[in-house]
Amino acid sequence: MPSPIPVTRLLPRDIYPSLDIGACSSPLSRHSHGSTLQVPVQRLHGKVATRLWSSVILWKELRSAQPVGSGGFGSVYKADYLGETVALKKVKKCTKNKLASRQSFWAELNAAHLRHRNVVRIIAATTCVPADFGDEGSIGTILMEFVGSSNLQQIIYGRAELLGGDRWLRYSTDIAQGLRFLHSHSIAHLDIKPANVLVSADDVCKIADFGCSLKLDGGGEVSAVSPLLSHVGGTYTHRAPELLKGEGVSAKADIFSFAITFWQLITREQPYAGDRQHVLYAVVAHNLRPSVRDHPVFRSQQGRLCSALVSRCWSGGPQDRPSAQELLAELEQLRAPDMS
C-alpha cells in the first residue's frame, strides 16, 4: 500500500524521482514490465554495492530468526543474513490506528541511505514478503545491523554497576554525535530516549528506532505538522513543549529529548512522577522539568556545568536551545581532564 507520506520526505533524491509506486509495495519498489526495481544487494563484509541499502531482501538467505524485543509498532528478531548477524524488524499493523503504523514503517526509512558510527545502519527493507515468511499482521520488514541486546534504558535502571561520569559523558557524546549527523541531513528523530539508544559490545551508543522521525524541509528548519503526522512526537516524558502544543517541528525537539536522557544518565532516576496528563500540562504551562537541585552530582564543578547545559537544552523555546553542533562542543569540554 502506498505511503500516506510524500515520497520526497522519505527517500534520497537519487531514488524518488523515478518512482512509479505500484500496488505491491511502496516507495521502495517500482513495477516495470512485471518486475520490481532491484537495488543491488550489499554484502556485509565491506563489499558495498552502488547503493547503501537494498529494497530487496533475499529471503532464502535469512535464517535462525529469534525474538529479542517488541514495541508499539513492531517486533525485533536476531537473525542470520548473508553470513552475518542482523536485526530483523517486522512493523505490525495497529488495529486502532492503521495510518500511524504505516507512517511508522515509512519513517523508519528516513535514515536508510545514511551511515554513521552512532546511528543504527539499515541494510534492506521491503513490504513484499513471501507466503512462507508472511505475517498477516505485518506491514513491512526492515533488516538492520545487529548492535546487541543492550540499550541505555537497561543500563540506567536495570544494573547495579556504577555509571561514572566518564561513562555517562561518553554515552551522551555518542548520542550528540549521532544527532549532529542526522540534523546535518535534515532528519529529526523525534523519539530520543534511553530505550531507543542501543549500546554495542564495544560500549558505543547508536541511535535506533526512526518510527517517529521526519525529513525536515529547508535544511532542518521548522516544518509545519501535517494532519497525517499526528502520531509524530515520541514518548511524552521526552517530548518537547512545542510538539505537545502541536506547533512546527524542528531539529531542536531532539535537543529537548536529549536533555531528559542526559539527566537520566546522570541521576539514574525517572524524570517525572504522577499522572500523564498532569505532566503534559505542567511541562507546557508551568515549565515543569526534572530537578537538578537535589542530586549531589550537580554540586561539583563539572556537575554545575552539566546543570547549566541541561537547563539550556530543555528550554521552553526551541530558539533558546543549542544546536547539536554546539551541544557536542560543550560535552567535549566537559570531558576535558580538568573537569573530572
Side-chain angles (χ1 to χ4, degrees), residues 34 45 54 69 148 150 152 173 181 190 203 247 250 298 329 333:
H45 292 288
S54 173
S150 181
L152 278 189
T173 301
F181 175 75
L190 300 181
D203 216 28
E247 297 176 352
S250 77
F298 290 117
Q333 289 183 346

Side-chain angles (χ1 to χ4, degrees), residues 102-234:
R102 290 199 300 271
Q103 290 170 343
S104 177
F105 176 77
W106 303 124
E108 287 274 11
L109 306 181
N110 276 328
H113 59 295
L114 302 179
R115 296 291 175 266
H116 190 270
R117 175 177 181 267
N118 301 116
V119 176
V120 172
R121 177 170 60 92
I122 291 179
I123 298 166
T126 185
T127 59
C128 294
V129 182
D132 51 343
F133 284 91
D135 184 346
E136 292 184 358
S138 176
I139 288 175
T141 300
I142 303 171
L143 290 186
M144 302 169 285
E145 67 169 310
F146 183 76
V147 177
S149 56
S150 181
N151 61 46
L152 278 189
Q153 179 82 8
Q154 297 165 333
I155 290 175
I156 293 172
Y157 299 113
R159 300 181 184 178
E161 64 187 275
L162 293 176
L163 194 61
D166 59 333
R167 194 173 177 193
W168 52 254
L169 267 175
R170 179 162 47 82
Y171 287 164
S172 300
T173 301
D174 280 352
I175 299 170
Q177 287 175 333
L179 287 178
R180 179 181 63 174
F181 175 75
L182 293 173
H183 294 174
S184 72
H185 288 82
S186 301
I187 295 173
H189 184 278
L190 300 181
D191 199 15
I192 295 295
K193 61 181 179 179
N196 285 343
V197 179
L198 304 184
V199 183
S200 72
D202 297 327
D203 216 28
V204 174
C205 288
K206 293 176 179 281
I207 297 172
D209 198 340
F210 284 78
C212 289
S213 67
L214 270 181
K215 187 73 167 68
L216 301 175
D217 297 325
E221 296 300 319
V222 174
S223 176
V225 180
S226 165
L228 290 175
L229 300 173
S230 58
H231 80 291
V232 168

Side-chain angles (χ1 to χ4, degrees), residues 149-337:
S149 56
S150 181
N151 61 46
L152 278 189
Q153 179 82 8
Q154 297 165 333
I155 290 175
I156 293 172
Y157 299 113
R159 300 181 184 178
E161 64 187 275
L162 293 176
L163 194 61
D166 59 333
R167 194 173 177 193
W168 52 254
L169 267 175
R170 179 162 47 82
Y171 287 164
S172 300
T173 301
D174 280 352
I175 299 170
Q177 287 175 333
L179 287 178
R180 179 181 63 174
F181 175 75
L182 293 173
H183 294 174
S184 72
H185 288 82
S186 301
I187 295 173
H189 184 278
L190 300 181
D191 199 15
I192 295 295
K193 61 181 179 179
N196 285 343
V197 179
L198 304 184
V199 183
S200 72
D202 297 327
D203 216 28
V204 174
C205 288
K206 293 176 179 281
I207 297 172
D209 198 340
F210 284 78
C212 289
S213 67
L214 270 181
K215 187 73 167 68
L216 301 175
D217 297 325
E221 296 300 319
V222 174
S223 176
V225 180
S226 165
L228 290 175
L229 300 173
S230 58
H231 80 291
V232 168
T235 307
Y236 81 94
T237 53
H238 295 66
R239 196 177 305 174
E242 64 270 20
L243 300 187
L244 296 176
K245 293 186 287 185
E247 297 176 352
V249 178
S250 77
K252 294 293 186 71
D254 286 340
I255 302 301
F256 183 96
S257 302
F258 168 88
I260 305 294
T261 302
F262 188 37
W263 182 92
Q264 290 175 276
L265 277 166
I266 295 172
T267 66
R268 302 185 80 171
E269 296 185 9
Q270 296 293 343
Y272 303 113
D275 178 74
R276 177 180 183 272
Q277 291 302 319
H278 169 75
V279 170
L280 293 176
Y281 174 78
V283 166
V284 173
H286 300 295
N287 206 36
L288 174 67
R289 302 291 187 270
S291 174
V292 294
R293 297 180 179 178
D294 303 328
H295 301 280
V297 70
F298 290 117
R299 296 171 188 166
S300 65
Q301 179 187 5
Q302 185 187 60
R304 288 190 293 270
L305 293 173
C306 287
S307 175
L309 177 58
V310 78
S311 295
R312 285 181 58 214
C313 288
W314 65 34
S315 295
Q319 70 280 358
D320 297 322
R321 301 172 204 152
S323 66
Q325 176 63 49
E326 293 167 336
L327 169 62
L328 185 57
E330 294 201 34
L331 288 171
E332 294 289 0
Q333 289 183 346
L334 287 171
R335 295 182 66 187

